[in-house]
C-alpha cells in the first residue's frame, strides 16, 4: 500500500505529480491511499510518491481540466477516482470519448457540481463595508459546498482589484489589500459583519433591475438556495417585489401567451436558465454573468450585437451601456420601438482585459463566437423573427457562420440558411469611436434602421 499526502484539499498539482509517477510504474488504484495534510492520517509515515520517470504518457487537456475541477469536490474519494481514471487513460488513450463509462460520468457530474458552486460564490457573495485604519474595507461571508475558495480567488482579485477585501469561509479566508492576496484560517459567520449602509445601495439597485418576467420561484430557489439568502441584503426585498411582480407577470404572461403560445415562453426561459451556467468556452471565467437576450418573443426584429460590455455584464442586460444608449436614440430617430424588438448578442459573456481599475473590451475570437452561436440559434429558432439585424462584424459572422465585411453586405436583405431575412449594419460603438463624418455616419445608421423597420412591417 502506498500513501500520498497532499498539501491541501484542493491540491491539484500535488495530485497530478503523484498520480503521474504512480501510473507510470503501474501502481494499481486500490494500492494507493490519498490523504490531505491536516485531515485524519491513516498512516504515520507515508511512503513518498516516486519521482516521475522519463517517457511519461500524455493525457488529453480535457482530462486535466476535468481533474482540476474534480479535485475541488468535497467527496473524499475524489483523488482515488481520478487516479483510477488516469490509469484507464494510460491504457486506453481514447477513454475520454467513452460517454457510457460510469466512472467518467461520475467525474463529469462532480466537475459540474464544482463549477456550479464556483458560479454561486461569484453570484451570491456579498461584501459588507467596514472601516479600519486604512479606510474602507469590505468583508464577505460565504459557505461553499466544495473546496472552491482558492480556485475562485483570481476572479475576485480581478473583479475587485481596487478594493481592500476579505472573504471569510469556514475552512479558509482570503485577504486582498489592493496589491497582494494572502490566506488565513477558516472563520465563523460571527466574525463577519451583518448589515451596513452599503446594503441600501444594493437594495435600490436590485429593486431597479428586478424583472418580473424573469422570476421563476422554483428556478430561483434552485439557483439561489435559501442558505445564501441570509447573506444577501436584496433578498429581504424579494417577498415584497414578488407580490407586486406576480400581478405584472400575470399580465405579461397572458399577453405573451396569446401572442406566441405558452411553450415558446417556457422553452425560452429554460434555455436562458441553462445559458446562465454555460461553460462552452472559457469566457464564463471572465465575466460576472451570462447576459442573455431580452425582449418580446413575438418580436418582428431581432437585433444581434457583439458581446455585453462592462455595464451590461454588471446589470445582466444587453445594450444598457453607452452603445445601448446610442442604439436607443437611433431607434427613436428611426421610428422603431425598441420595446417591440428582441435584443441579444453573438457572444453572451463580457470579454475584457484589465487595465488598472478598468475592464477594457476585448474582441471575441472565432472559437468563442462559434461556441456561443448555439445560444443565438436557440433564440432565433424560438422567436423565428421575419427579420434579424447584425450590428457589426461579429454579429454578422455569427449569423452567416463565416467572416464577412459590413461594407459588402450593408443596405440590402440577405437570406439566412435557417430562413428569415437578415440585414447588416454597423455596431453602435463604431459610431461612438468614429472621428470623421460622425454625424453623417449616425444619419446613415438611422437610415438603415428606418429601412429595416419598414421592411419588418412589410414582412409581418
Ligand atoms: N455592445 C454589444 O455588442 N452588446 C451589448 O450588449 C453592449 C455593447
Amino acid at each position: 500500500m502506498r500513501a500520498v499526502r497532499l498539501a491541501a484539499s484542493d491540491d491539484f498539482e500535488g495530485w497530478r505529480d503523484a498520480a503521474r509517477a504512480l501510473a507510470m510504474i503501474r501502481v494499481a488504484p486500490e494500492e494507493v491511499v490519498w490523504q490531505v495534510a491536516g485531515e485524519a492520517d491513516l498512516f504515520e509515515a507515508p511512503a513518498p510518491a516516486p519521482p516521475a520517470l522519463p517517457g511519461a504518457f500524455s493525457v488529453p487537456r480535457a482530462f486535466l481540466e476535468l481533474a482540476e475541477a474534480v479535485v475541488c469536490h468535497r467527496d473524499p474519494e475524489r483523488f482515488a477516482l481520478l487516479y483510477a481514471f488516469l490509469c484507464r487513460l494510460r491504457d486506453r488513450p481514447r477513454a475520454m470519448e467513452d460517454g457510457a463509462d460510469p466512472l467518467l460520468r461520475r467525474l463529469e457530474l462532480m466537475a459540474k457540481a464544482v463549477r456550479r458552486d464556483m458560479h454561486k460564490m461569484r453570484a451570491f457573495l456579498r461584501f459588507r463595508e467596514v472601516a479600519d485604519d486604512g479606510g474602507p474595507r469590505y468583508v464577505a461571508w460565504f459557505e461553499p459546498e466544495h473546496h472552491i475558495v482558492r480556485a475562485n480567488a483570481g476572479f475576485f482579485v480581478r473583479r475587485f482589484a481596487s478594493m481592500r477585501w476579505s472573504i471569510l469561509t469556514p475552512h479558509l479566508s482570503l485577504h486582498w489589500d489592493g496589491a497582494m492576496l494572502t490566506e488565513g484560517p477558516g472563520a465563523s459567520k460571527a466574525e463577519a459583519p451583518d448589515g451596513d449602509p452599503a446594503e441600501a445601495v444594493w437594495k435600490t439597485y436590485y429593486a431597479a433591475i428586478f424583472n418580473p418576467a424573469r422570476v421563476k420561484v422554483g428556478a430561483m430557489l434552485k439557483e439561489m438556495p435559501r442558505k445564501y439568502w441570509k447573506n444577501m441584503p436584496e433578498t429581504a426585498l424579494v417577498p415584497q417585489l414578488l407580490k407586486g411582480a406576480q400581478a405584472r407577470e400575470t399580465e405579461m404572461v397572458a399577453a405573451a401567451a396569446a401572442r406566441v403560445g405558452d411553450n415558446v415562453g417556457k422553452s425560452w426561459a429554460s434555455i436562458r436558465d441553462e445559458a446562465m451556467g454555460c461553460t462552452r468556452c472559457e469566457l464564463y471565467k471572465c465575466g460576472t454573468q451570462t447576459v442573455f437576450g431580452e425582449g418580446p418573443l413575438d418580436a418582428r426584429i431581432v437585433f444581434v450585437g457583439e458581446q455585453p460590455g462592462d455595464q451590461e455584464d454588471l446589470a445582466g442586460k444587453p445594450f444598457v451601456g453607452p452603445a445601448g444608449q446610442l442604439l436607443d436614440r437611433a431607434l427613436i430617430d428611426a421610428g422603431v420601438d425598441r420595446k417591440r424588438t428582441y435584443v441579444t448578442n453573438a457572444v453572451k459573456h463580457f470579454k475584457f482585459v484589465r487595465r488598472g481599475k478598468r475592464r477594457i473590451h476585448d474582441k471575441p475570437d472565432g472559437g468563442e463566437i462559434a461556441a456561443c452561436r448555439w445560444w443565438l440559434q436557440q433564440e432565433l429558432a424560438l422567436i423565428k423573427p421575419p427579420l434579424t439585424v447584425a450590428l457589426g462584424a461579429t454579429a454578422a459572422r455569427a449569423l452567416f457562420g463565416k467572416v464577412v465585411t459590413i461594407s459588402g453586405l450593408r443596405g440590402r436583405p440577405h437570406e439566412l440558411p435557417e430562413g428569415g431575412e437578415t440585414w447588416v449594419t454597423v455596431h453602435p460603438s463604431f459610431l461612438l469611436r468614429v472621428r470623421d463624418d460622425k454625424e453623417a455616419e449616425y444619419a446613415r445608421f438611422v437610415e438603415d434602421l428606418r429601412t429595416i423597420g419598414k421592411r419588418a412591417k412589410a414582412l409581418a
Side-chain angles (χ1 to χ4, degrees):
M1 192 60 87
R2 289 177 189 259
V4 178
R5 187 175 290 170
L6 300 166
S9 331
D10 57 353
D11 181 7
F12 171 70
E13 280 83 18
W15 172 84
R16 185 195 55 200
D17 294 349
R20 188 193 285 150
L22 292 166
M24 278 174 56
I25 55 167
R26 307 194 80 80
V27 176
E30 54 281 9
E31 284 173 28
V32 187
V33 176
W34 300 88
Q35 297 179 346
V36 174
E39 294 179 5
D41 281 355
L42 301 176
F43 293 81
E44 294 227 328
L53 300 171
F57 59 96
S58 60
V59 294
R61 166 180 275 279
F63 173 70
L64 291 176
E65 283 173 6
L66 179 79
E68 245 180 301
V70 170
V71 154
C72 298
H73 200 279
R74 62 161 188 259
D75 188 334
E77 278 194 76
R78 62 197 179 282
F79 298 112
L81 294 171
L82 280 170
Y83 180 61
F85 195 77
L86 179 72
C87 293
R88 205 167 282 185
L89 266 178
R90 176 198 57 202
D91 302 334
R92 266 195 298 130
R94 302 185 67 172
M96 284 293 281
E97 291 163 33
D98 182 359
D101 181 338
L103 175 55
L104 179 57
R105 183 83 195 110
R106 180 165 172 195
L107 291 171
E108 281 171 345
L109 287 175
M110 289 166 82
K112 195 167 171 197
V114 166
R115 291 193 185 114
R116 205 176 145 80
D117 202 28
M118 289 184 67
H119 166 73
K120 289 200 156 66
M121 182 173 174
R122 293 174 186 199
F124 305 141
L125 180 139
R126 293 290 177 266
F127 285 107
R128 269 130 183 161
E129 191 178 345
V130 292
D132 65 16
D133 295 345
R137 166 170 207 98
Y138 298 85
V139 181
W141 167 251
F142 191 77
E143 288 169 74
E145 283 178 32
H146 302 285
H147 305 289
I148 53 153
V149 177
R150 204 173 274 122
N152 243 348
F155 171 84
F156 288 97
V157 167
R158 288 191 299 277
R159 187 76 193 75
F160 301 105
S162 56
M163 290 164 37
R164 295 187 316 132
W165 52 257
S166 293
I167 297 177
L168 311 181
T169 80
H171 298 294
L172 178 68
S173 55
L174 298 175
H175 308 279
W176 173 251
D177 66 1
M180 203 167 76
L181 185 73
T182 47
E183 289 184 3
S188 69
K189 178 154 171 44
E191 291 167 70
D194 246 350
D196 78 327
E199 294 196 349
V201 178
W202 256 112
K203 285 183 179 172
T204 313
Y205 170 75
Y206 187 74
I209 62 162
F210 188 84
N211 179 352
R214 285 198 158 188
V215 179
K216 276 170 69 194
V217 179
M220 203 157 119
L221 283 172
K222 187 165 145 247
E223 284 307 317
M224 194 201 283
R226 282 193 198 277
K227 80 173 213 190
Y228 300 117
W229 286 33
K230 55 188 183 298
N231 300 322
M232 300 169 65
E234 67 272 31
T235 52
L237 294 178
V238 167
Q240 178 195 334
L241 287 168
L242 272 178
K243 230 167 140 197
Q246 264 150 13
R248 277 190 288 158
E249 195 198 2
T250 312
E251 261 171 47
M252 286 169 66
V253 168
R259 291 193 304 255
V260 296
D262 234 5
N263 287 341
V264 175
K266 281 191 190 143
S267 309
W268 177 84
S270 69
I271 291 166
R272 181 209 55 206
D273 293 348
E274 206 186 312
M276 294 300 149
C278 179
T279 54
R280 296 174 81 87
C281 75
E282 297 292 296
L283 292 187
Y284 74 96
K285 296 181 182 162
C286 193
T288 308
Q289 56 189 315
T290 303
V291 179
F292 207 67
E294 242 186 32
L297 302 181
D298 60 349
R300 287 182 194 156
I301 307 177
V302 169
F303 284 104
V304 184
E306 184 197 63
Q307 63 164 354
D310 183 75
Q311 295 193 28
E312 288 80 13
D313 172 70
L314 297 175
K317 291 159 141 330
F319 281 105
V320 293
Q325 284 155 22
L326 195 141
L327 176 65
D328 286 349
R329 177 155 74 88
L331 284 171
I332 291 170
D333 290 347
V336 177
D337 184 356
R338 173 169 171 171
K339 288 198 293 306
R340 301 187 65 174
T341 69
Y342 184 91
V343 180
T344 190
N345 282 299
V347 171
K348 293 183 170 39
H349 273 111
F350 178 35
K351 180 175 179 185
F352 62 90
V353 283
R354 190 168 280 286
R355 236 174 264 145
K357 292 183 189 171
R358 296 175 59 211
R359 302 190 298 166
I360 311 290
H361 163 276
D362 191 13
K363 208 173 166 51
D365 63 29
E368 289 148 358
I369 296 169
C372 219
R373 194 160 180 249
W374 197 81
W375 299 115
L376 180 60
Q377 283 174 331
Q378 303 283 323
E379 289 174 291
L380 295 176
L382 276 171
I383 299 169
K384 296 193 184 60
L387 208 150
T388 307
V389 184
L391 298 168
T394 299
R397 181 172 179 173
L399 288 170
F400 290 95
K402 59 182 184 191
V403 178
V404 293
T405 57
I406 303 297
S407 54
L409 301 177
R410 191 171 180 180
R412 60 199 158 85
H414 304 274
E415 240 178 67
L416 280 183
E418 296 83 3
E421 200 170 287
T422 293
W423 290 64
V424 175
T425 184
V426 292
H427 191 283
S429 64
F430 161 77
L431 301 167
L432 292 171
R433 281 193 317 266
V434 72
R435 282 163 188 252
D436 298 333
D437 294 329
K438 214 174 176 61
E439 281 180 20
E441 290 292 356
Y442 176 76
R444 198 173 162 206
F445 181 57
V446 171
E447 209 36 55
D448 281 353
L449 296 179
R450 187 171 294 123
T451 310
I452 285 163
K454 284 189 188 147
R455 179 77 184 142
K457 270 194 194 142
L459 286 173

